[in-house]
Amino acid sequence: MKQVYLTGITTTGTPHLGNYAGAIKPAIEASQREDTENFYFLADLHALIKSHDPKAVQQSRLEIAATWIALGLDTDKAVFYCQSDIHEIPALTWLLTCQTAKGLMNRAHAYKAVVQENEEAGSPDPDRGITMGLFSYPVLMAADILMFKAHKVPVGRDQVQHIEMARDIAQRFNHHYGDHFVLPEAEVAESASVLAGLDGRKMSKSYNNTIPLFAPEKKLRKLIMRIKTNSQEPGEPKEADGNTLFEIYRAFATPEQTAEVRQRFADGIGWGEMKQYLFEHLNLLLSEPRERYEALMARPDEIAGVLASGAEKARAQSATFLSELYDAVGIAPIR
Ligand code: TRP
């Protein structure tokens, strides 16, 4: 039996080099394996928890979908869809909500972090600014995962707790109503690189230090030139591992190319020269997908078509499964 891999991408922001190295590249590679079945989706219902800006959510959905397609995701093999197109997901979320202990949600890191911020800010209301969406976010995520009987869920370390919660919720449901759900496992790719951004901290939209994957050539060059470096002079041998320029290069290079650049660090390549080299390498590599990306962004109907056929495949499964679950809980059609 094939292993089912499933992961969601929250549609806030523009995809950047760090997203590529950490999530997109490993996901596309995994989808090329013959022994896996892959569900990749735009978590646009999750986006509404973080972003209340309709234009931004809409734009991010387009950009993320175009990015994955432009980078060569085989959408005939992988099921690629928008979460909001799968109407069975919110329905399953409710069935699961009714089996989820509130105390379990009280322990969710994302929720607790905001409570802690409120307390530290001396707010009289620890739940200030917290919506039910944020509070029950892990239940929606559990529905995403359990709906397609995922075995493995590739995620970043910050998401592992949510997968464990999905397991807990599934177990409780199974215990009560019979064995309907597969218990999922998180898969944290140890090898997936976490890239640093312009200022040397983790590349993340929350730090505003990202390099967009498909920035136009001029912009790409400008951003790379802005990456923070230390005061070492050209000619001084330099440590490659952990260096922002080196790590970005490595994420986009073959092992041979990486070994060569490692040697150039040891030989004392200057930062200016290395930045130029990195720019040329990325620009060459990204120019073709960037063209495809731009063409797709100019033809949203094509993106919509790809997502619609993904949704159709996904719904063939979710519709059947949801009616099985409705039967199980006692809300089957009355005959
Ligand atoms: N919450 C995840 C994130 O922010 C995105 C996501 C939503 C997800 N549903 C999912 C990831 C289901 C894996 C499985 O990164």
Side-chain angles (χ1 to χ4, degrees), residues 97-243:
T97 299
C98 296
Q99 288 296 318
T100 302
K102 173 174 175 286
L104 184 69
M105 295 299 100
N106 287 342
R107 293 194 286 278
H109 300 318
Y111 163 69
K112 274 180 30 185
V114 186
V115 171
Q116 197 187 339
E117 270 170 38
N118 285 336
E119 280 166 353
E120 281 167 7
S123 164
D125 177 9
D127 282 334
R128 197 189 131 120
I130 297 173
T131 62
M132 284 306 294
L134 176 65
F135 184 66
S136 50
Y137 164 131
V139 191
L140 176 57
M141 188 159 154
D144 292 331
I145 297 169
L146 300 177
M147 180 61 93
F148 297 104
K149 303 184 198 280
H151 301 106
K152 301 273 189 216
V153 186
V155 282
R157 204 167 294 287
D158 60 316
Q159 295 292 318
V160 171
Q161 188 197 31
H162 297 144
I163 318 299
E164 283 160 4
M165 289 178 160
R167 278 177 82 87
D168 280 355
I169 298 168
Q171 259 165 332
R172 180 149 162 179
F173 190 101
N174 283 354
H175 180 73
H176 198 82
Y177 293 115
D179 245 350
H180 296 279
F181 294 127
V182 167
L183 304 184
E185 270 173 43
E187 191 175 82
V188 181
E190 299 298 341
S191 65
S193 10
V194 175
L195 296 189
L198 299 177
D199 56 359
R201 290 186 293 172
K202 175 183 167 189
M203 192 182 290
S204 158
K205 61 192 166 224
S206 26
Y207 295 146
N208 201 14
N209 64 356
T210 66
I211 301 177
L213 201 44
F214 294 129
E217 187 169 325
K218 271 204 186 122
K219 178 90 191 285
L220 179 65
R221 183 162 197 289
K222 214 168 101 191
L223 289 172
I224 290 175
M225 294 303 155
R226 249 213 269 153
I227 294 174
K228 205 172 125 191
T229 49
N230 64 21
S231 59
Q232 281 180 294
E233 298 288 338
E236 271 184 74
K238 299 178 176 64
E239 176 65 35
D241 289 301
N243 176 272

Side-chain angles (χ1 to χ4, degrees), residues 6-12 39 41-47 49-50 83 137 140-146 150 152-156 158-159 162-163 205:
L6 173 143
T7 200
I9 313 104
T10 306
T11 52
T12 46
F39 291 86
F41 65 95
L42 306 176
D44 50 357
L45 297 176
H46 275 105
I49 297 168
K50 293 187 204 155
Q83 179 188 34
Y137 164 131
L140 176 57
M141 188 159 154
D144 292 331
I145 297 169
L146 300 177
K152 301 273 189 216
V153 186
V155 282
D158 60 316
Q159 295 292 318
H162 297 144
I163 318 299
K205 61 192 166 224

